[in-house]
Amino acid sequence: MSDKYLNAQSTTSSTLQLPANGGQEGKRKRTGAFRSLFRAMAPSQTEANRSPWPFILTIVVWVGLAYAGYAFAVHTLDKQQQYVNERFEQVQEENQKQMVALGEQLTQVQDEMKTVQDGLSNLEEDLQLTGETIGGTNKTKEALQDRIDQLNKQLVDLKASLKKLEDAARAW
């Protein structure tokens, strides 16, 4: 038997004993990636005859990875910028459509207000012309007063709607 191996002994200890002559001869010592890279860049005196190709290959791989990362980042940013531009144009188109719709609603409300004002002025003229004849009948006065109140209420509602539309148009 060689001395690398221990004979099995019957002991009460639960641990195994290592060989006494150094233990790990023949195994390579593990080093980290940076230490091996450093060793490739600055060879020691005993390694002076090493080929430069591993170092060159390492540099080429790192440069390739860096360029690929840069190209991927540029491509991704271009795609995102294109998407943002498309969304911006869509929002502008939607805003333009809403502005046109608000403009149309504003003109409709203004036309309705003008119609209500014309109706009120006509009613006031009629009241002035028939002032003496209406003065004697209470039912007619009450009916006219109700109609005036309704038209005034409608005028207030239309003014409020017009104000809301103008505020919305200014907001855009």
Side-chain angles (χ1 to χ4, degrees):
M1 230 185 230
S2 82
D3 10 50
K4 287 185 181 179
Y5 300 104
L6 294 177
N7 293 333
Q9 299 175 357
S10 60
T11 64
T12 58
S13 171
S14 61
T15 59
L16 295 176
Q17 296 178 1
L18 292 175
N21 58 355
Q24 294 185 0
E25 46 184 86
K27 284 191 176 181
R28 284 184 44 189
K29 192 173 186 182
R30 295 183 87 193
T31 59
F34 291 113
R35 184 172 292 182
S36 63
L37 182 63
F38 178 72
R39 194 176 292 153
M41 289 190 315
S44 67
Q45 294 173 351
T46 58
E47 298 173 346
N49 295 334
R50 282 183 118 180
S51 172
W53 287 109
F55 177 69
I56 293 171
L57 183 63
T58 303
I59 297 297
V60 168
V61 167
W62 277 104
V63 167
L65 286 173
Y67 178 75
Y70 173 77
F72 179 73
V74 167
H75 175 72
T76 303
L77 289 175
D78 286 344
K79 275 186 157 182
Q80 288 177 349
Q81 184 65 38
Q82 184 180 13
Y83 175 75
V84 167
N85 289 340
E86 289 173 1
R87 285 293 298 149
F88 183 72
E89 290 172 5
Q90 288 174 354
V91 167
Q92 281 185 331
E93 290 173 8
E94 290 173 12
N95 287 344
Q96 189 65 27
K97 289 176 185 177
Q98 289 178 356
M99 289 297 293
V100 168
L102 284 174
E104 291 172 359
Q105 288 178 352
L106 185 63
T107 55
Q108 288 176 353
V109 168
Q110 287 175 340
D111 291 342
E112 288 177 11
M113 282 183 60
K114 186 171 175 128
T115 304
V116 168
Q117 286 177 342
D118 291 341
L120 280 175
S121 63
N122 288 339
L123 186 59
E124 288 177 8
E125 288 176 13
D126 289 344
L127 283 175
Q128 289 174 355
L129 293 174
T130 60
E132 291 293 321
T133 56
I134 294 179
T137 59
N138 286 336
K139 287 186 180 180
T140 309
K141 277 186 182 179
E142 289 175 7
L144 285 174
Q145 188 61 39
D146 288 342
R147 180 67 179 149
I148 289 172
D149 290 342
Q150 288 175 355
L151 289 174
N152 281 335
K153 191 178 213 181
Q154 187 177 2
L155 179 63
V156 168
D157 291 342
L158 288 174
K159 283 183 181 179
S161 297
L162 178 63
K163 181 161 176 53
K164 287 180 182 177
L165 286 172
E166 286 175 348
D167 290 342
R170 283 188 205 120
W172 291 104

